[in-house]
């Protein structure tokens, strides 16, 4: 059918496929727009054919290259006819003609059957005045071969061939039918050959398969339709309309990347195929690729479909507004315009969804941004070079994914994606800048973690601060620095950094727990209870959170005269932190110890027990070997030494106390 006159999903009438009945009539199909195939009704995918040679056909061939003319002997062709495959009957075998009943096509027992594999058999084999390579059968010649009346091939041995090469069915696009037998090695794949054989057995033609596929498509059975189109393509792979119909079925199955690939193949096969261009433009509109859509919608100066043109212009308008909003940092407008573009039909555009995710990230809505990215459609077999905001679309999507990963603490994943984005678009300066920032943030975070694990909290806080200089909206770095302030006894600064982290990431559990603990140190029990209750709702099965909440509620209820909150023994390594800790309201106990002292190692576990037993008492530990200046300032001569303070005043000092004496002293000053 003509691609320019018929839609690809219209049912086609198989007018070119004719069956050979009792006689073999050969016709040439001059309509180049129709599928180029014919069938032989032989009942078998592989059939050996032998023409019945009439007396008129058994005449010498006047070829200048004939060997018989040189020897002077009678021409062999006066007694036998050479087939198109080059095989001839045994010499000396007379050629006879028998009248067969209709439907009977049994092989003659007098000679080896001929195998017709040349295209001249089906095209009429026009003979030149010079020489001929084969004798074309007359239209009245009946095909003969080892075929039973039932149409089944006889067992091996019923007919013999002189050639040892295997025969396969040919599906080329010449003027011969797809049922021709050719020698192996013709370039046909096993899959295609199997499909051709199956089609020959069942009497299928590409147009018939296409018609059945169209019928399935109209019923909404897209998977079945796809199967029929696949079989039609296997028989006629150069037909553009079959590719276009396959793209329609793939589109209905939301396999848009594969649909684009099929449409591109269709317009490659037939560059003037308007339906293929129109379908491709529609797909590009859904993918948000306005430039590609315009190229196929207005190809070769053709008048585009007005509805598609209107959709294209609307998409271009929203993309332009997104670009303008992004340049000035108007992220709310960017969200609005991307939503409008998606609603207008670009519902499968990865880059538009990534644009919305970027806007949400800049608005500190990290969880919403991550959810957006999780909804990006997967496009297999589609590698587009379309651009958005000056970046290759795929690179832009990876760039936003990298930044969201870093914002959520998945630093290594972020580096990998940023590097991939930079490789896809190596000349884009924005991608290079994002990659450098991500690497610097990851480096600062790694360095900070190393220093924190060594107890060098002040240096760690500086390292995290360096990372924030490159990414000022990273909630993880704020939370990590808050941990440093907490360890240094700077609880106000810890609360401040936790507030920054929670402004960026409101449900950040670690930041909430850290802020609640800092509130406890500051005696702000109402704030601590509020944070613990929020975390408790998020983690209902966490026993530690439940215990912390109960302790905070106990302190808030005023059941104890003391103020304070503690669930761990804190390390003090500087004079500044020691002074801040001494001035805390309530009771504070300082344990001066040495890791090399046996008595200190024996009593340390008991101090941890007291810390859990008396949550309203602040417990601190000072390692005199690591904090020599602090030990000297406090005149520590022997370890373990305990000093107790209440509301900033020193109330007791104990050197090597027993477990019971230490606990009794704590209870005494706590009451």
């Amino acid at each position: 059918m003509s691609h320019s006159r018929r839609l690809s999903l219209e049912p086609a009438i198989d007018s070119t496929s004719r069956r050979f009945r009792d006689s073999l009539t050969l016709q040439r199909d001059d309509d180049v727009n129709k599928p180029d195939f014919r069938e032989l009704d032989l009942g078998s995918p592989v059939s050996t054919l032998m023409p019945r040679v009439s007396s008129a056909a058994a005449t010498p061939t006047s070829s200048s290259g004939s060997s018989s003319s040189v020897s002077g002997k009678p021409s062999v062709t006066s007694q036998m006819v050479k087939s198109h495959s080059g095989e001839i009957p045994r010499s000396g075998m007379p050629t006879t003609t028998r009248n067969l009943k209709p439907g009977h096509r049994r092989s003659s027992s007098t000679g080896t059957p001929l195998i017709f594999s040349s295209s001249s058999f089906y095209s009429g084999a026009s003979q030149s005045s010079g020489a001929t390579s084969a004798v074309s059968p007359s239209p009245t010649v009946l095909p003969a071969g080892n075929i039973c009346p039932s149409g089944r091939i006889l067992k091996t041995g019923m007919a013999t061939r002189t050639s040892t090469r295997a025969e396969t069915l040919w599906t080329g696009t010449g003027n011969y039918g797809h049922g021709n037998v050719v020698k192996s090695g013709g370039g046909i794949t096993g899959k295609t050959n199997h499909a051709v054989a199956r089609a020959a057995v069942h009497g299928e033609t590409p147009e018939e398969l296409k018609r059945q596929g169209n019928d399935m498509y109209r019923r909404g059975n897209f998977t079945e339709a796809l199967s029929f189109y696949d079989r039609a393509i296997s028989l006629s792979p150069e037909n553009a309309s079959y590719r276009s119909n396959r793209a329609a079925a793939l589109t209905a199955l939301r396999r848009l990347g594969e649909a684009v690939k099929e449409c591109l193949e269709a317009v490659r096969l037939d560059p003037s195929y308007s339906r293929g261009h129109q379908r491709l433009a529609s797909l590009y509109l859904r993918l948000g690729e306005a430039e590609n859509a315009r190229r196929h919608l207005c190809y070769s100066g053709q008048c585009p479909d007005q509805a598609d043109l209107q959709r294209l212009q609307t998409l271009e308008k929203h993309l332009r507004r997104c670009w303008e909003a992004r340049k000035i940092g108007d992220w709310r407008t960017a969200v609005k315009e991307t939503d409008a573009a998606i609603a207008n039909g670009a519902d499968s555009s990865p880059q538009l969804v990534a644009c919305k995710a970027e806007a949400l990230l800049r608005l500190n809505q990290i969880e919403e941004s991550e959810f957006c990215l999780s909804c990006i459609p997967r496009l297999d077999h589609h590698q587009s070079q379309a651009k958005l905001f000056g970046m290759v679309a795929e690179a832009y999507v990876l760039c936003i994914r990298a930044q969201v990963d870093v914002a959520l603490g998945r630093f290594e994943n972020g580096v990998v994606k940023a590097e991939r984005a930079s490789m896809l678009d190596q000349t884009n300066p924005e991608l290079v800048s994002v990659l450098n920032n991500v690497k610097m943030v990851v480096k600062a975070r790694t360095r900070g973690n190393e220093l924190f694990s060594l107890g060098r909290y002040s240096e760690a806080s500086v390292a995290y601060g360096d990372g924030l200089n490159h990414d000022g909206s990273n909630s993880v770095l704020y939370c990590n620095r808050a941990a440093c302030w907490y360890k240094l006894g700077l609880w106000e600064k810890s609360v401040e950094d936790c507030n920054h982290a929670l402004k960026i990431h409101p449900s950040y559990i670690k930041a909430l727990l850290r802020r609640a603990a800092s509130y406890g140190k500051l005696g702000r029990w109402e704030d601590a209870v509020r944070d613990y209750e929020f975390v408790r709702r998020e983690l209902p099965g966490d026993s530690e959170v439940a215990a912390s909440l109960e302790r905070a509620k106990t302190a808030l209820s005023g059941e104890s005269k003391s103020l304070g909150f503690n669930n761990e023994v804190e390390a003090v390594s500087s004079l500044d932190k020691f002074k801040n800790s001494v001035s805390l309201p309530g009771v504070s106990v300082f344990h001066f110890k040495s890791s090399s002292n046996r008595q200190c190692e024996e009593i340390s576990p008991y101090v941890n027990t007291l810390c859990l037993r008396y949550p309203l008492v602040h417990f601190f530990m000072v390692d005199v070997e690591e904090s020599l200046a602090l030990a000297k300032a406090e005149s520590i001569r022997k370890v373990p030494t305990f000093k107790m303070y209440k509301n900033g005043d020193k109330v007791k000092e104990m050197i090597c106390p027993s477990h019971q004496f230490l606990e009794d002293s704590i209870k005494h000053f706590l009451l």
Side-chain angles (χ1 to χ4, degrees):
M1 70 179 67
S2 174
H3 297 157
S4 60
R5 295 196 302 268
R6 299 178 65 91
L7 295 180
S8 60
L9 288 180
E10 293 179 0
I13 300 175
D14 187 6
S15 61
T16 62
S17 180
R18 303 187 182 277
R19 301 188 177 278
F20 291 91
R21 302 187 183 277
D22 296 331
S23 64
L24 190 63
T25 303
L26 305 175
Q27 298 179 2
R28 176 185 291 273
D29 187 354
D30 293 326
D31 188 352
V32 297
N33 288 325
K34 294 184 178 180
D36 193 11
F37 45 76
R38 295 191 178 97
E39 288 189 312
L40 298 179
D41 189 10
L42 302 177
S44 171
V46 180
S47 176
T48 55
L49 305 179
M50 187 180 81
R52 297 296 184 183
V53 183
S54 64
S55 59
T59 58
T61 304
S62 59
S63 171
S64 60
S66 172
S67 59
S68 62
S69 63
V70 177
S71 63
K73 296 179 181 181
S75 174
V76 176
T77 55
S78 63
Q79 299 181 15
M80 61 193 72
V81 178
K82 188 174 182 179
S83 74
H84 291 264
S85 65
E87 299 182 15
I88 58 176
R90 296 186 186 90
S91 60
M93 292 293 183
T95 305
T96 60
T97 302
R98 293 186 346 194
N99 294 325
L100 302 179
K101 295 180 181 180
H104 265 259
R105 295 171 183 170
R106 297 183 59 87
S107 302
S108 171
S109 61
T110 60
T112 303
L114 302 182
I115 301 176
F116 288 91
S117 60
S118 170
S119 60
S120 61
F121 178 79
Y122 289 92
S123 62
S126 59
Q127 300 179 12
S128 63
S129 60
T132 58
S133 59
V135 177
S136 301
S138 77
T140 60
V141 175
L142 294 177
N146 58 334
I147 301 178
C148 296
S150 62
R152 292 180 298 175
I153 299 176
L154 296 181
K155 296 181 180 179
T156 304
M158 295 297 291
T160 60
R161 293 190 177 98
T162 59
S163 174
T164 59
R165 296 176 62 190
E167 286 79 26
T168 56
L169 286 170
W170 179 243
T171 59
T173 56
N175 290 321
Y176 38 77
H178 72 269
N180 284 349
V181 182
V182 297
K183 297 297 180 183
S184 61
I188 305 177
T189 64
K191 181 178 179 181
T192 302
N193 186 43
H194 176 74
V196 174
R198 176 181 174 181
V201 169
H202 296 284
E204 295 176 339
T205 67
E207 282 297 311
E208 174 63 19
L209 291 169
K210 174 187 172 182
R211 186 195 64 75
Q212 295 180 59
N214 292 350
D215 187 46
M216 289 293 106
Y217 186 95
R218 280 188 288 269
R219 296 181 186 179
N221 300 328
F222 304 119
T223 302
E224 291 82 353
L226 184 62
S227 175
F228 281 111
Y229 295 143
D230 284 341
R231 287 157 61 187
I233 290 172
S234 69
L235 296 177
S236 183
E238 303 299 316
N239 190 298
S241 69
Y242 302 162
R243 299 280 183 176
S244 181
N245 279 20
R246 186 174 194 272
L250 289 168
T251 302
L253 294 170
R254 299 195 62 81
R255 292 160 60 179
L256 302 190
E258 296 174 73
V260 168
K261 183 180 178 182
E262 286 300 318
C263 282
L264 288 172
E265 179 66 12
V267 298
R268 184 193 69 79
L269 293 170
D270 186 355
S272 63
Y273 186 22
S274 60
R275 181 55 176 159
H277 285 285
Q278 182 184 6
R279 180 161 285 147
L280 191 53
S282 179
L283 284 167
Y284 279 134
L285 283 172
R286 292 189 63 180
L287 296 173
E289 299 180 17
E291 186 176 346
N292 286 336
R294 180 170 288 279
R295 184 170 66 253
H296 288 281
L297 197 61
C298 307
Y299 79 100
S300 301
Q302 296 295 319
C303 182
D305 180 83
Q306 291 303 306
D308 283 342
L309 182 60
Q310 180 63 39
R311 289 174 55 207
L312 172 62
Q313 292 170 346
T314 304
L315 174 62
E316 290 172 333
K317 177 186 69 175
H318 292 306
L319 289 175
R320 184 174 61 254
R321 290 177 178 175
C322 281
W323 169 260
E324 294 168 352
R326 189 174 185 268
K327 284 194 295 186
I328 63 175
D330 184 1
W331 300 111
R332 297 191 184 280
T333 298
V335 170
K336 176 183 176 182
E337 292 301 325
T338 53
D339 282 341
I342 292 170
N344 184 61
D347 57 348
S348 300
S349 171
Q351 59 268 31
L352 278 174
V353 178
C355 179
K356 182 177 180 179
E358 181 187 23
L360 292 171
L361 177 64
R362 301 292 178 255
L363 292 170
N364 293 328
Q365 299 179 34
I366 299 178
E367 293 177 345
E368 291 83 351
S369 178
E370 183 184 32
F371 177 76
C372 240
L373 291 175
S374 71
C375 297
I376 286 182
R378 186 175 174 182
L379 300 175
D380 295 329
H381 310 290
H382 179 63
Q383 297 187 3
S384 171
Q385 292 301 310
K387 290 193 173 185
L388 184 67
F389 310 137
M391 287 177 273
V392 173
E394 186 178 352
Y396 172 69
V397 173
L398 282 170
C399 175
I400 304 307
R401 287 187 185 275
Q403 294 177 74
V404 171
D405 277 344
V406 171
L408 291 171
R410 301 191 290 260
F411 293 94
E412 290 74 17
N413 290 346
V415 172
V416 171
K417 290 172 183 175
E419 288 176 341
R420 285 173 55 197
S422 183
M423 288 296 294
L424 287 172
D425 195 350
Q426 300 180 18
T427 61
N428 188 276
E430 185 173 347
L431 291 175
V432 173
S433 176
V434 168
L435 176 60
N436 290 336
N437 278 348
V438 168
K439 286 184 174 180
M440 293 303 296
V441 169
V442 173
K443 182 179 178 181
R445 176 252 192 178
T446 302
R447 177 61 176 162
N449 288 355
E450 291 172 352
L451 292 168
F452 189 93
S453 64
L454 295 172
R456 297 161 63 178
Y457 306 120
S458 181
E459 295 174 69
S461 69
V462 174
Y464 293 134
D466 290 341
L468 288 168
N469 291 334
H470 294 282
D471 184 3
S473 61
N474 193 286
S475 59
V476 176
L477 294 180
Y478 276 119
C479 189
N480 285 6
R481 192 169 70 173
C484 295
W485 302 139
Y486 184 90
K487 288 293 186 181
L488 292 169
L490 304 175
W491 297 296
E492 289 286 359
K493 296 185 74 172
S494 178
V495 169
E496 183 180 348
D497 270 358
C498 286
N499 288 339
H500 282 301
L502 291 166
K503 183 178 180 181
I504 298 167
H505 191 180
S507 60
Y508 193 0
I509 298 299
K510 278 189 177 181
L512 284 164
L513 288 172
R514 196 150 285 153
R515 187 172 70 175
S518 298
Y519 280 147
K521 290 295 185 182
L522 295 170
R524 296 169 58 178
W525 298 110
E526 185 176 355
D527 293 330
V529 168
R530 183 176 63 250
D531 282 348
Y532 280 127
E533 285 179 340
F534 182 90
V535 176
R536 177 67 170 164
R537 289 192 296 269
E538 295 294 316
L539 305 173
D542 195 305
S543 58
E544 291 186 11
V545 173
S548 297
L549 176 59
E550 289 304 316
R551 288 195 293 267
K553 286 182 176 179
T554 300
L556 180 62
S557 66
E559 293 178 358
S560 173
K561 298 179 181 179
S562 302
L563 293 177
F565 177 74
N566 195 26
N567 56 7
E568 64 179 0
V569 179
E570 294 185 39
V572 176
S573 57
S574 65
L575 282 170
D576 289 339
K577 182 173 182 179
F578 182 79
K579 291 176 181 179
N580 289 332
S581 303
V582 166
S583 61
L584 286 173
V587 178
S588 300
V589 178
F590 291 85
H591 174 204
F592 292 86
K593 59 168 284 187
S594 171
S595 57
S596 61
N597 185 276
R598 182 177 58 82
Q599 287 181 294
C600 293
E601 292 303 310
E602 289 178 355
I603 201 170
S604 290
Y606 186 68
V607 175
N608 293 334
T609 301
L610 293 175
C611 179
L612 296 174
R613 191 175 294 171
Y614 301 97
L616 300 180
V617 177
H618 301 284
F619 287 86
F620 300 94
M621 180 274 295
V622 180
D623 192 322
V624 296
E625 294 178 351
E626 294 182 359
S627 307
L628 292 175
L630 177 56
K632 184 177 180 181
E634 289 297 306
S635 303
I636 302 299
R637 301 282 190 274
K638 190 175 181 180
V639 292
T641 294
F642 290 85
K643 290 187 178 185
M644 298 181 64
Y645 292 80
K646 186 170 185 178
N647 297 327
D649 297 327
K650 182 179 178 181
V651 293
K652 195 175 184 65
E653 182 173 342
M654 296 166 283
I655 299 175
C656 301
S658 66
H659 292 186
Q660 188 62 47
F661 182 73
L662 177 59
E663 184 172 5
D664 290 343
S665 300
I666 291 172
K667 288 192 292 185
H668 173 74
F669 290 104
L670 188 57
L671 297 175

